[in-house]
Amino acid sequence: MVNHKIDIFNYIKSDVENKIYNNPVKLIIKANSFEKAKASLTIKKNQTTISFQNVKFNSEISINVDEGIEDEISIGFHNCFIDSFSDFALESKNMVLFFGNCFVQNLRVQSRNLKSIKLNNCFGSYFIEGIKNVNVSYSEENIFLKDWVNQIKTEKQLQNLLNYKTIFHITDAESINFYGHEIEEKRKQQLIKERLLKSDGKYEGFGLDRQAYKKNKLKRILTLKEKELLNINIDLSYNIGFNHIKTQVSNLLLEAISLGGKAKGEVRIEDCKINNIYIRDFSPKSDFSLYNIKPLVGKGNFEVHNSNLDNTWFNAVSLKNYFVVFHKSSFINTKFSSTVFPSVKELKSSISSVKNIHYPNEIKDKKSFYRDMYELFLELKQAFDKRGNSFESQKMKSVAHEFLYKIEDWKVSKSDFWNNKIILGLNRLSNFHGISIRNAFFLALIIILVFHSLNVLSFESVEFGYKDWGEFKDIVSNEIRYLFSIANPAHKLSSLAPVNEITGWTYMTSFFSRIFIGFAFYQFVAAFRRFGK
């Protein structure tokens, strides 16, 4: 297969516009051509040296640069299809690559000599390692209808493109910036007035402006359903010793984002809708913050494994809309602001997946799993205590005590049984470790009815049935009086039975009812005070 070579300083227009290449293409940057272009002032700072427009590369494209070229050289690809891209033999330290509205099936860039790579509205697979600057953006302002129509002939093809799994594997980049921009309502009205906006297959307010179409100024915004089709994934890795400066991800609609390694610089993820967040073996050395994060569609996954998040700030993260899974991670110094966790029931359900995956031996690993989860949720409780968030703190404590209850088994010493298992079990039953008013209410109601029944059945004058409605009313009136009397832990013994019918059974019922009903009332009040603890 013959390679097609293009000297970026000496080419013809037909090589870079509306062209189809079926064989591999090699971009050549020769030292002698570079010197001639430099002498003729062809090379200008902040300007693209060569730009490919509407070109289809059905095979590999690579770059070969001679040594000694230190000036900044910028190569751009606009509305191109690229089967494979490689930075083989890239020696220049100031090379800048730009891809706009491109589909790249496989891009691999691993040269530390590359100055930066910029992508706008691109789809495909990108493997980037050791680059100084990575800049990726998705913006409605740059969706021009003519460009998209040239590449996407039907709405079905558009859906396939939006739904195509686009993934960015980025390792050891000094500066990483992902950002999105949606057209605001004020700007939409301006574009409508200028006849430059197309939405949902119709031109807003005006007919098709052919002149604007030809000039490639007519814009296309995505509908909500089309945005929900986006399948953009980001995988960021940081190795020890690499000079990472900053990572920022903002205003994006993502299917998933993964973080791993030891980031030296600041990492910020803000104002994003992300369906799945995976933090694995991640220990940021500087600040790591998540702000205003929620799923794009439905209920997502938020997983943290083997990570140290002591320098982390969760601010307005909608964890209640995620299946949350934490495993062997540190949260004791993590800050939580305006962050609400899922309910206790949902937390227990999502945590069960950790047990199935990381603790496969049901018998041998059971206690280790419960102990790890107990300590983890205890750390989360302490983190919320530091912020004064008693509501979430109580929730974390209840889950921690639930796992502590499961650690203890029935084959323990008598002292441990009474000190641990029974106490935890009673708290679990009565108000689920301080957070369930419903449990406490029904427990109090059941205990009152049980002791009332035991008390009434001890009466010598007790009879079943009634002769008339008058007698029925008297029976109901007396039953209510006895019921409220037994419900009062400070009741008088004489209020529990008719005159001359107080027996030893009445004394015993009165004694034990005071203990059990008093306990139930205490647990009921304790659950009510979860906001004030």
Side-chain angles (χ1 to χ4, degrees):
M1 188 178 292
V2 181
N3 289 355
H4 188 93
K5 297 181 180 180
I6 300 176
D7 187 336
I8 72 166
F9 300 112
N10 185 19
Y11 61 89
I12 58 177
K13 188 176 181 180
S14 60
D15 286 339
V16 298
E17 291 184 8
N18 303 309
K19 182 89 172 181
I20 297 177
Y21 291 99
N22 292 316
N23 293 333
V25 175
K26 181 175 288 188
L27 303 183
I28 306 297
I29 303 176
K30 296 182 178 180
N32 56 353
S33 298
F34 169 75
E35 293 300 331
K36 290 180 182 179
K38 188 175 181 181
S40 61
L41 302 179
T42 303
I43 301 176
K44 296 181 181 180
K45 194 173 182 179
N46 298 324
Q47 287 190 8
T48 305
T49 307
I50 184 172
S51 179
F52 292 87
Q53 300 275 353
N54 301 315
V55 178
K56 199 170 186 180
F57 298 93
N58 290 325
S59 189
E60 183 184 46
I61 178 172
S62 59
I63 301 175
N64 193 313
V65 185
D66 288 349
E67 293 184 13
I69 300 177
E70 302 296 336
D71 289 59
E72 181 177 304
I73 298 173
S74 179
I75 300 177
F77 300 87
H78 302 268
N79 310 307
C80 295
F81 170 85
I82 301 174
D83 178 74
S84 178
F85 183 95
S86 171
D87 64 343
F88 176 74
L90 186 60
E91 300 295 340
S92 173
K93 295 181 180 179
N94 292 301
M95 179 69 67
V96 177
L97 298 178
F98 175 79
F99 299 84
N101 290 329
C102 291
F103 183 90
V104 185
Q105 282 194 325
N106 185 16
L107 179 142
R108 292 185 179 272
V109 178
Q110 296 177 309
S111 174
R112 298 187 185 274
N113 291 324
L114 190 63
K115 183 178 181 180
S116 69
I117 180 169
K118 301 177 181 179
L119 302 106
N120 176 249
N121 291 354
C122 290
F123 299 90
S125 298
Y126 303 86
F127 300 85
I128 302 170
E129 181 179 351
I131 307 303
K132 294 178 182 177
N133 295 287
V134 179
N135 192 304
V136 181
S137 62
Y138 287 87
S139 55
E140 283 186 324
E141 283 281 0
N142 291 333
I143 301 179
F144 296 106
L145 185 63
K146 183 180 177 182
D147 294 336
W148 282 49
V149 168
N150 286 338
Q151 298 187 60
I152 308 300
K153 305 301 181 184
T154 66
E155 289 296 318
K156 185 176 181 180
Q157 287 176 307
L158 172 60
Q159 292 179 5
N160 291 337
L161 174 64
L162 296 174
N163 198 36
Y164 185 87
K165 185 174 182 179
T166 295
I167 186 164
F168 297 91
H169 290 279
I170 301 178
T171 304
D172 294 342
E174 289 186 13
S175 178
I176 303 171
N177 187 19
F178 282 83
Y179 65 93
H181 180 261
E182 297 181 75
I183 299 177
E184 298 178 354
E185 190 60 35
K186 185 176 179 180
R187 175 62 174 156
K188 287 181 182 179
Q189 297 305 319
Q190 180 184 350
L191 292 171
I192 290 171
K193 187 176 181 180
E194 296 174 0
R195 303 183 182 181
L196 295 177
L197 182 63
K198 182 177 187 289
S199 173
D200 198 22
K202 297 180 180 179
Y203 296 90
E204 302 285 353
F206 294 90
L208 175 61
D209 189 328
R210 290 292 177 184
Q211 186 176 2
Y213 178 89
K214 290 178 181 179
K215 290 181 179 179
N216 200 22
K217 291 183 179 180
L218 190 64
K219 297 182 182 295
R220 165 73 148 85
I221 65 172
L222 300 179
T223 65
L224 179 60
K225 288 185 178 180
E226 288 173 338
K227 290 176 182 178
E228 291 176 351
L229 290 174
L230 289 170
N231 191 0
I232 301 171
N233 301 262
I234 300 174
D235 183 6
L236 304 177
S237 298
Y238 307 88
N239 290 320
I240 299 175
F242 192 80
N243 186 32
H244 168 252
I245 299 173
K246 184 177 181 179
T247 295
Q248 179 149 340
V249 181
S250 59
N251 298 296
L252 280 179
L253 309 176
L254 300 176
E255 175 61 26
I257 185 168
S258 301
L259 299 168
K262 299 183 182 295
K264 187 177 180 181
E266 182 184 12
V267 179
R268 295 170 60 97
I269 304 174
E270 54 189 21
D271 297 313
C272 291
K273 294 180 180 179
I274 309 173
N275 284 336
N276 301 288
I277 299 175
Y278 304 105
I279 301 174
R280 293 167 178 158
D281 301 305
F282 183 61
S283 300
K285 299 301 180 183
S286 187
D287 293 336
F288 171 43
S289 62
L290 298 101
Y291 171 71
N292 193 23
I293 306 299
K294 57 185 177 181
L296 175 60
V297 181
K299 203 170 182 70
N301 295 301
F302 196 111
E303 299 184 9
V304 181
H305 297 268
N306 302 318
S307 299
N308 185 342
L309 300 185
D310 284 349
N311 298 324
T312 302
W313 184 12
F314 287 76
N315 190 359
V317 180
S318 186
L319 289 178
K320 66 179 181 179
N321 293 321
Y322 288 95
F323 291 106
V324 176
V325 176
F326 293 157
H327 177 242
K328 289 187 177 180
S329 298
S330 175
F331 294 92
I332 194 166
N333 292 317
T334 304
K335 292 191 295 184
F336 293 92
S337 302
S338 303
T339 297
V340 180
F341 272 74
S343 66
V344 171
K345 183 179 180 181
E346 290 175 323
L347 275 175
K348 289 171 60 182
S349 175
S350 59
I351 288 296
S352 65
S353 63
V354 176
K355 182 180 178 181
N356 296 334
I357 297 172
H358 297 281
Y359 301 85
N361 191 319
E362 178 68 24
I363 299 176
K364 184 179 179 181
D365 297 335
K366 184 170 65 173
K367 282 192 175 182
S368 297
F369 167 72
Y370 293 145
R371 175 65 64 181
D372 290 343
M373 291 300 104
Y374 167 69
E375 292 177 353
L376 188 148
F377 279 96
L378 208 58
E379 283 195 7
L380 286 171
K381 175 195 177 298
Q382 293 171 358
F384 280 111
D385 282 339
K386 290 179 180 179
R387 304 292 294 178
N389 190 338
S390 60
F391 178 80
E392 292 297 329
S393 173
Q394 281 293 103
K395 187 189 294 183
M396 296 304 111
K397 188 184 86 168
S398 68
V399 178
H401 284 182
E402 177 68 6
F403 285 114
L404 181 61
Y405 170 77
K406 292 181 178 179
I407 292 173
E408 304 293 343
D409 56 34
W410 297 97
K411 297 178 182 179
V412 295
S413 64
K414 290 183 178 179
S415 61
D416 287 338
F417 175 79
W418 288 105
N419 291 338
N420 301 333
K421 193 72 176 180
I422 289 295
I423 293 174
L424 288 169
L426 288 174
N427 276 309
R428 181 175 186 260
L429 175 67
S430 59
N431 62 10
F432 201 80
H433 310 292
I435 66 170
S436 176
I437 295 173
R438 182 184 63 181
N439 281 22
F441 174 78
F442 282 111
L443 177 68
L445 183 62
I446 291 170
I447 291 175
I448 290 171
L449 292 174
V450 167
F451 278 101
H452 170 67
S453 300
L454 292 174
N455 180 52
V456 171
L457 291 174
S458 68
F459 298 167
E460 294 180 3
S461 60
V462 64
E463 293 182 4
F464 297 95
Y466 55 90
K467 298 178 180 178
D468 52 40
W469 283 106
E471 185 179 358
F472 174 77
K473 290 180 181 179
D474 291 338
I475 292 173
V476 171
S477 177
N478 290 331
E479 291 295 323
I480 292 175
R481 178 164 59 86
Y482 295 139
L483 181 68
F484 278 96
S485 294
I486 200 95
N488 178 12
H491 61 253
K492 292 182 179 180
L493 192 64
S494 60
S495 66
L496 296 184
V499 180
N500 301 324
E501 290 196 33
I502 296 176
T503 63
W505 183 264
T506 309
Y507 279 95
M508 186 176 67
T509 302
S510 174
F511 176 77
F512 285 107
S513 70
R514 293 173 194 267
I515 296 174
F516 283 94
I517 293 173
F519 170 76
F521 284 171
Y522 173 81
Q523 294 297 81
F524 186 75
V525 173
F528 253 113
R529 292 185 63 244
R530 73 180 288 196
F531 288 98
K533 291 184 179 180

